[in-house]
Amino acid sequence: MLATATLRVNETFYSLQGEGSAIGVPAFFIRLDGCPLRCAWCDTPYALEGTAGTEVTASALAAQSAHANAVIITGGEPLVQDVAPLVEALHGKHITIETSGTIFADLPGVSLFSISPKVGSSGYRPKPLTLRKFCASAPGRMQLKFVLADDRDYEEALACVRDLRDALPPDTPIVLQPESASAGSGAGYVTTLRRLSEKALGDDRWSGLSLRVLPQLHYLLWGGEPGR
Ligand code: SF4
Protein backbone atom coordinates (compact mmCIF):
# COMPACT_ATOMS: atom_id res chain seq x y z
CA MET A 1 0.00 0.00 0.00
CA LEU A 2 2.63 2.52 1.09
CA ALA A 3 4.84 1.43 -1.80
CA THR A 4 2.30 2.97 -4.17
CA ALA A 5 2.85 6.40 -2.60
CA THR A 6 4.58 8.74 -5.01
CA LEU A 7 7.40 11.23 -4.58
CA ARG A 8 8.40 14.11 -6.81
CA VAL A 9 11.78 13.05 -8.20
CA ASN A 10 14.18 15.43 -9.92
CA GLU A 11 16.77 12.85 -10.99
CA THR A 12 18.26 9.47 -10.10
CA PHE A 13 21.77 8.26 -10.77
CA TYR A 14 24.47 5.87 -9.60
CA SER A 15 27.67 7.49 -8.37
CA LEU A 16 30.04 7.82 -5.42
CA GLN A 17 29.00 9.50 -2.20
CA GLY A 18 30.92 12.75 -2.57
CA GLU A 19 30.61 14.14 0.94
CA GLY A 20 30.79 13.32 4.60
CA SER A 21 31.91 10.29 6.56
CA ALA A 22 30.85 7.79 3.84
CA ILE A 23 32.80 9.60 1.12
CA GLY A 24 33.71 7.34 -1.80
CA VAL A 25 31.00 4.72 -1.22
CA PRO A 26 29.09 3.74 -4.40
CA ALA A 27 25.41 4.58 -4.01
CA PHE A 28 22.15 5.06 -5.87
CA PHE A 29 21.05 8.69 -5.57
CA ILE A 30 17.42 9.78 -5.47
CA ARG A 31 17.19 13.54 -5.79
CA LEU A 32 13.78 14.75 -4.69
CA ASP A 33 12.45 17.97 -6.13
CA GLY A 34 11.87 21.19 -4.21
CA CYS A 35 13.41 23.13 -1.34
CA PRO A 36 12.07 26.04 0.74
CA LEU A 37 15.56 27.59 1.12
CA ARG A 38 17.60 29.52 -1.44
CA CYS A 39 21.19 29.25 -0.22
CA ALA A 40 23.45 31.76 -1.96
CA TRP A 41 25.78 29.04 -3.25
CA CYS A 42 23.28 26.21 -3.78
CA ASP A 43 24.81 23.62 -6.11
CA THR A 44 21.46 22.16 -7.24
CA PRO A 45 19.46 25.20 -8.38
CA TYR A 46 17.60 22.99 -10.83
CA ALA A 47 15.99 21.12 -7.92
CA LEU A 48 14.61 24.03 -5.88
CA GLU A 49 11.31 25.10 -7.38
CA GLY A 50 9.59 21.74 -7.08
CA THR A 51 8.26 21.98 -10.61
CA ALA A 52 10.95 20.05 -12.48
CA GLY A 53 10.28 16.61 -11.09
CA THR A 54 8.13 13.67 -12.06
CA GLU A 55 5.97 11.60 -9.74
CA VAL A 56 7.49 8.17 -9.13
CA THR A 57 6.22 5.48 -6.78
CA ALA A 58 8.30 4.36 -3.81
CA SER A 59 8.23 0.79 -5.14
CA ALA A 60 9.55 1.90 -8.56
CA LEU A 61 12.41 3.76 -6.88
CA ALA A 62 13.21 0.69 -4.80
CA ALA A 63 13.29 -1.42 -7.98
CA GLN A 64 15.63 1.08 -9.70
CA SER A 65 18.03 0.89 -6.77
CA ALA A 66 17.96 -2.91 -6.47
CA HIS A 67 21.62 -3.25 -7.54
CA ALA A 68 22.95 -0.81 -4.93
CA ASN A 69 23.85 -1.51 -1.31
CA ALA A 70 23.52 2.15 -0.41
CA VAL A 71 20.85 4.69 -1.31
CA ILE A 72 21.16 8.43 -0.78
CA ILE A 73 17.96 10.44 -0.65
CA THR A 74 18.87 14.03 -1.38
CA GLY A 75 17.46 17.20 -2.91
CA GLY A 76 16.52 19.96 -2.88
CA GLU A 77 15.32 19.33 0.65
CA PRO A 78 14.02 15.76 0.75
CA LEU A 79 12.16 16.21 4.04
CA VAL A 80 9.73 18.62 2.38
CA GLN A 81 8.09 15.45 1.09
CA ASP A 82 6.83 12.45 3.08
CA VAL A 83 9.74 10.08 2.57
CA ALA A 84 8.49 7.44 5.03
CA PRO A 85 7.04 5.16 2.27
CA LEU A 86 10.32 5.35 0.36
CA VAL A 87 12.36 4.52 3.45
CA GLU A 88 10.07 1.55 4.05
CA ALA A 89 10.38 0.40 0.42
CA LEU A 90 14.19 0.57 0.68
CA HIS A 91 14.30 -1.61 3.81
CA GLY A 92 17.58 -3.56 4.04
CA LYS A 93 19.73 -0.96 2.31
CA HIS A 94 22.01 1.59 3.90
CA ILE A 95 19.84 4.70 3.59
CA THR A 96 21.25 8.21 3.93
CA ILE A 97 19.08 11.32 3.98
CA GLU A 98 20.87 14.55 3.08
CA THR A 99 19.04 17.41 4.76
CA SER A 100 19.54 21.03 5.75
CA GLY A 101 18.36 20.29 9.30
CA THR A 102 15.48 22.73 9.04
CA ILE A 103 12.69 20.11 8.98
CA PHE A 104 12.55 17.29 11.53
CA ALA A 105 11.56 13.74 10.67
CA ASP A 106 11.65 10.73 12.98
CA LEU A 107 12.50 7.84 10.67
CA PRO A 108 14.00 4.79 12.44
CA GLY A 109 14.68 3.06 9.08
CA VAL A 110 17.20 5.71 8.05
CA SER A 111 20.82 4.61 8.55
CA LEU A 112 22.33 8.10 8.47
CA PHE A 113 20.93 11.60 8.66
CA SER A 114 23.56 13.75 6.98
CA ILE A 115 22.59 17.14 8.32
CA SER A 116 24.07 20.27 6.79
CA PRO A 117 23.18 23.26 9.01
CA LYS A 118 23.40 26.45 7.00
CA VAL A 119 25.71 29.21 8.22
CA GLY A 120 26.75 32.77 7.26
CA SER A 121 27.48 32.85 3.54
CA SER A 122 24.46 30.65 2.73
CA GLY A 123 22.17 33.46 3.92
CA TYR A 124 20.65 31.30 6.67
CA ARG A 125 21.29 30.27 10.27
CA PRO A 126 21.13 26.84 11.91
CA LYS A 127 17.87 25.82 13.59
CA PRO A 128 18.99 24.63 17.04
CA LEU A 129 15.61 23.25 18.14
CA THR A 130 15.35 21.10 15.02
CA LEU A 131 18.95 19.95 15.38
CA ARG A 132 18.29 18.97 18.98
CA LYS A 133 15.37 16.80 17.88
CA PHE A 134 17.67 14.92 15.51
CA CYS A 135 20.22 14.53 18.32
CA ALA A 136 17.54 12.95 20.51
CA SER A 137 16.02 10.69 17.85
CA ALA A 138 19.03 9.57 15.79
CA PRO A 139 22.05 8.98 18.07
CA GLY A 140 24.70 7.05 16.15
CA ARG A 141 22.77 7.73 12.91
CA MET A 142 23.67 11.33 12.21
CA GLN A 143 26.49 13.59 11.16
CA LEU A 144 26.78 17.37 10.97
CA LYS A 145 28.30 18.64 7.75
CA PHE A 146 29.20 22.30 7.35
CA VAL A 147 29.85 23.96 3.99
CA LEU A 148 32.30 26.81 4.61
CA ALA A 149 33.08 29.70 2.30
CA ASP A 150 34.96 31.98 4.70
CA ASP A 151 36.19 32.53 8.26
CA ARG A 152 32.81 33.77 9.41
CA ASP A 153 31.24 30.49 8.29
CA TYR A 154 33.94 28.60 10.20
CA GLU A 155 33.19 30.49 13.42
CA GLU A 156 29.43 30.06 13.02
CA ALA A 157 29.86 26.31 12.43
CA LEU A 158 31.98 26.03 15.56
CA ALA A 159 29.43 28.05 17.56
CA CYS A 160 26.61 25.83 16.30
CA VAL A 161 28.42 22.67 17.43
CA ARG A 162 29.41 24.12 20.79
CA ASP A 163 25.86 25.30 21.47
CA LEU A 164 24.59 21.77 20.74
CA ARG A 165 27.25 20.05 22.77
CA ASP A 166 25.02 19.00 25.69
CA ALA A 167 22.66 17.27 23.24
CA LEU A 168 25.10 15.95 20.64
CA PRO A 169 25.46 12.14 20.78
CA PRO A 170 29.06 11.04 21.47
CA ASP A 171 31.23 10.45 18.39
CA THR A 172 28.85 12.26 16.05
CA PRO A 173 30.99 13.05 12.98
CA ILE A 174 31.47 16.79 12.45
CA VAL A 175 32.48 17.40 8.84
CA LEU A 176 33.99 20.63 7.51
CA GLN A 177 34.18 21.07 3.74
CA PRO A 178 35.03 24.03 1.53
CA GLU A 179 32.18 25.61 -0.39
CA SER A 180 33.08 24.44 -3.87
CA ALA A 181 32.12 27.45 -5.99
CA SER A 182 34.28 29.84 -3.95
CA ALA A 183 37.06 27.24 -3.54
CA GLY A 184 37.45 27.05 -7.31
CA SER A 185 38.86 24.01 -9.05
CA GLY A 186 42.16 22.16 -9.38
CA ALA A 187 45.06 23.66 -7.44
CA GLY A 188 42.84 26.44 -6.08
CA TYR A 189 40.54 23.91 -4.46
CA VAL A 190 43.47 22.07 -2.88
CA THR A 191 44.87 25.33 -1.52
CA THR A 192 41.51 26.17 0.06
CA LEU A 193 41.19 22.68 1.52
CA ARG A 194 44.73 22.86 2.93
CA ARG A 195 44.02 26.25 4.52
CA LEU A 196 40.86 24.90 6.14
CA SER A 197 42.67 21.75 7.30
CA GLU A 198 45.51 23.72 8.90
CA LYS A 199 43.11 26.11 10.56
CA ALA A 200 41.12 23.23 12.09
CA LEU A 201 44.27 21.32 13.14
CA GLY A 202 45.51 24.37 15.02
CA ASP A 203 42.20 25.06 16.72
CA ASP A 204 41.79 23.24 20.04
CA ARG A 205 38.18 24.38 20.29
CA TRP A 206 37.38 21.22 18.27
CA SER A 207 38.98 19.09 20.98
CA GLY A 208 36.84 16.11 22.02
CA LEU A 209 34.74 16.25 18.85
CA SER A 210 34.88 13.75 15.97
CA LEU A 211 36.10 16.24 13.43
CA ARG A 212 36.80 15.52 9.75
CA VAL A 213 37.96 17.96 7.09
CA LEU A 214 36.94 16.66 3.67
CA PRO A 215 36.63 17.77 0.04
CA GLN A 216 33.53 17.31 -2.09
CA LEU A 217 34.74 14.32 -4.09
CA HIS A 218 32.10 14.61 -6.83
CA TYR A 219 33.09 18.23 -7.35
CA LEU A 220 36.76 17.29 -7.71
CA LEU A 221 35.95 14.46 -10.13
CA TRP A 222 33.10 15.93 -12.18
CA GLY A 223 32.90 19.63 -11.33
CA GLY A 224 29.40 19.48 -9.90
CA GLU A 225 27.83 18.20 -13.11
CA PRO A 226 24.16 17.13 -12.60
CA GLY A 227 23.64 13.37 -12.47
CA ARG A 228 27.06 12.83 -10.82
S1 SF4 B 1 19.14 23.66 1.51
FE1 SF4 B 1 20.41 22.60 -0.02
S2 SF4 B 1 19.09 22.35 -1.82
FE2 SF4 B 1 18.12 23.92 -0.49
S3 SF4 B 1 18.90 25.89 -1.29
FE3 SF4 B 1 20.28 25.25 0.39
S4 SF4 B 1 21.95 24.12 -0.62
FE4 SF4 B 1 20.23 24.26 -2.11
Side-chain angles (χ1 to χ4, degrees), residues 3-118:
T4 61
T6 62
L7 295 106
R8 210 168 46 256
V9 177
N10 184 280
E11 62 178 349
T12 60
F13 54 96
Y14 188 61
S15 188
L16 300 178
Q17 169 57 287
E19 305 177 333
S21 53
I23 191 167
V25 173
F28 184 77
F29 286 73
I30 300 171
R31 187 181 307 289
L32 299 183
D33 205 36
C35 178
L37 305 188
R38 293 294 181 271
C39 298
W41 34 249
C42 178
D43 58 357
T44 54
Y46 55 91
L48 299 187
E49 293 299 332
T51 55
T54 54
E55 296 288 329
V56 186
T57 63
S59 58
L61 290 165
Q64 287 175 34
S65 65
H67 63 293
N69 295 326
V71 177
I72 297 169
I73 304 171
T74 186
E77 169 52 71
L79 295 181
V80 165
Q81 300 188 49
D82 178 8
V83 299
L86 178 57
V87 171
E88 186 179 314
L90 294 171
H91 177 72
K93 296 191 181 296
H94 186 281
I95 303 169
T96 297
I97 289 190
E98 302 272 357
T99 176
S100 60
T102 55
I103 300 170
F104 175 69
D106 185 11
L107 296 163
V110 171
S111 315
L112 177 66
F113 286 95
S114 182
I115 303 167
S116 182
K118 303 309 174 197

Side-chain angles (χ1 to χ4, degrees), residues 40-43 119-122 146-154 177-193 195-196 216 219 223:
W41 34 249
C42 178
D43 58 357
V119 293
S121 64
S122 70
F146 293 93
V147 177
L148 308 177
D150 54 31
D151 287 347
R152 175 180 157 218
D153 288 359
Y154 178 97
Q177 67 182 44
E179 192 280 303
S180 292
S182 57
S185 58
Y189 191 97
V190 174
T191 299
T192 302
L193 183 62
R195 192 180 303 129
L196 176 59
Q216 280 187 299
Y219 186 85

Side-chain angles (χ1 to χ4, degrees), residues 112-187:
L112 177 66
F113 286 95
S114 182
I115 303 167
S116 182
K118 303 309 174 197
V119 293
S121 64
S122 70
Y124 295 94
R125 295 289 177 275
K127 297 223 167 173
L129 294 180
T130 307
L131 296 176
R132 284 176 178 272
K133 287 181 185 174
F134 279 113
C135 290
S137 75
R141 300 186 295 125
M142 62 178 282
Q143 65 183 1
L144 295 178
K145 188 183 64 185
F146 293 93
V147 177
L148 308 177
D150 54 31
D151 287 347
R152 175 180 157 218
D153 288 359
Y154 178 97
E155 291 299 329
E156 290 192 13
L158 182 58
C160 173
V161 174
R162 288 164 71 94
D163 287 350
L164 272 183
R165 199 122 185 216
D166 62 298
L168 200 62
D171 301 322
T172 298
I174 310 294
V175 179
L176 307 183
Q177 67 182 44
E179 192 280 303
S180 292
S182 57
S185 58

